[in-house]
Amino acid sequence: DKSLSKRDAVIHTMKLMNITPGISNIVFVFGLLGPLHGIILDAGTRPPCLPYLHGPSQTLKTSLVKACTLIYNRSSPKDNIDNKRVSSTEIKLEECIDEIRDGNFLLDDLFVTEDKKLKKIYEGRVEAVIRNFGDYSERTTAHTSYRNNAQVIITAEYVIRSKTDVGRLFLIPVDKPINSEKLGECQKSPLALSTFYYYFIS
């Protein structure tokens, strides 16, 4: 947004980080790893884990992550290409994570369900993403090859049980609702974050 100065973009970013201290600032810093992704890998190192926000429904986890990290199409939130729900197929999730280069990808909404079959399917997709992309290794099959080219962020209502997969996560508990007043104020300037990223990358 060319109408925003560098100073205004930085001020907006500071407001984002202070929406809910201890949560929003951590999410924002993980988001910075997205555009730095290629540089980090070129330096011969890797981010050690994936951020995993977990807490009850209606705590605004998804809205916070979108406000603090997602870069593309911010003026039209419904058109975001950098997020998918766990109801998306595993192959679709892998395609998206491969396509979003040097950005952030939100795997959203692992929710509580009494449907055991559905729960197993959704947890399996989340676990596959964590195993295949949490250690930044290439996922190769007979017909396809997908790499983690983005910073993956996960939101869920509960923590998955697999100890191996949890070891690849940075758990961020969201025990009570995010400050909706501060979040709403930041959402009034959706392009400010991408303006900040423009100056940050420059």
Side-chain angles (χ1 to χ4, degrees):
D1 183 355
K2 293 181 180 179
S3 66
L4 280 174
S5 67
K6 184 188 295 187
R7 180 176 180 275
D8 290 337
V10 169
I11 289 172
H12 176 81
T13 302
M14 298 289 286
K15 289 179 180 179
L16 279 174
M17 294 177 69
N18 285 297
I19 290 173
T20 302
I23 298 176
S24 54
N25 52 334
I26 295 172
V27 170
F28 178 83
V29 170
F30 267 108
L32 284 178
L33 296 179
L36 293 175
H37 187 89
I39 297 172
I40 291 171
L41 297 184
D42 287 345
T45 185
R46 298 174 178 178
C49 53
L50 303 180
Y52 186 101
L53 282 78
H54 61 95
S57 178
Q58 306 299 316
T59 48
L60 302 177
K61 300 182 296 295
T62 298
S63 297
L64 179 72
V65 172
K66 288 183 176 181
C68 289
T69 67
L70 299 192
I71 302 172
Y72 304 107
N73 295 344
R74 289 186 64 86
S75 58
S76 303
K78 292 182 180 179
D79 296 329
N80 282 131
I81 59 171
D82 39 7
N83 66 96
K84 287 285 181 287
R85 291 179 177 271
V86 296
S87 54
S88 302
T89 64
E90 187 171 330
I91 191 74
K92 187 62 179 175
L93 293 175
E94 291 177 349
E95 285 177 355
C96 290
I97 293 170
D98 181 82
E99 289 172 1
I100 301 296
R101 297 176 184 275
D102 292 338
N104 298 303
F105 178 83
L106 169 61
L107 176 56
D108 188 32
D109 198 28
L110 178 61
F111 59 88
V112 176
T113 177
E114 295 182 5
D115 186 326
K116 292 182 179 179
K117 183 178 179 180
L118 195 61
K119 180 180 180 182
K120 185 177 181 179
I121 291 171
Y122 288 173
E123 285 187 354
R125 289 173 184 165
V126 173
E127 290 168 356
V129 166
I130 294 169
R131 284 193 301 272
N132 295 334
F133 299 112
D135 57 5
Y136 292 82
S137 59
E138 194 168 335
R139 160 93 161 113
T140 303
T141 67
H143 304 289
T144 59
S145 180
Y146 295 115
R147 297 179 60 198
N148 182 356
N149 294 308
Q151 172 64 56
V152 177
I153 303 167
I154 303 170
T155 64
E157 291 184 8
Y158 61 96
V159 178
I160 55 175
R161 293 185 178 182
S162 169
K163 292 181 180 178
T164 302
D165 294 327
V166 169
R168 296 184 173 104
L169 301 174
F170 186 95
L171 299 177
I172 305 173
V174 184
D175 301 322
K176 56 184 180 180
I178 300 297
N179 188 312
S180 59
E181 185 176 344
K182 290 183 178 179
L183 177 60
E185 188 63 30
C186 289
Q187 288 172 327
K188 292 178 182 178
S189 302
L191 298 182
L193 181 69
S194 48
T195 304
F196 166 81
Y197 270 102
Y198 169 81
Y199 288 115
F200 176 76
I201 293 168
S202 297

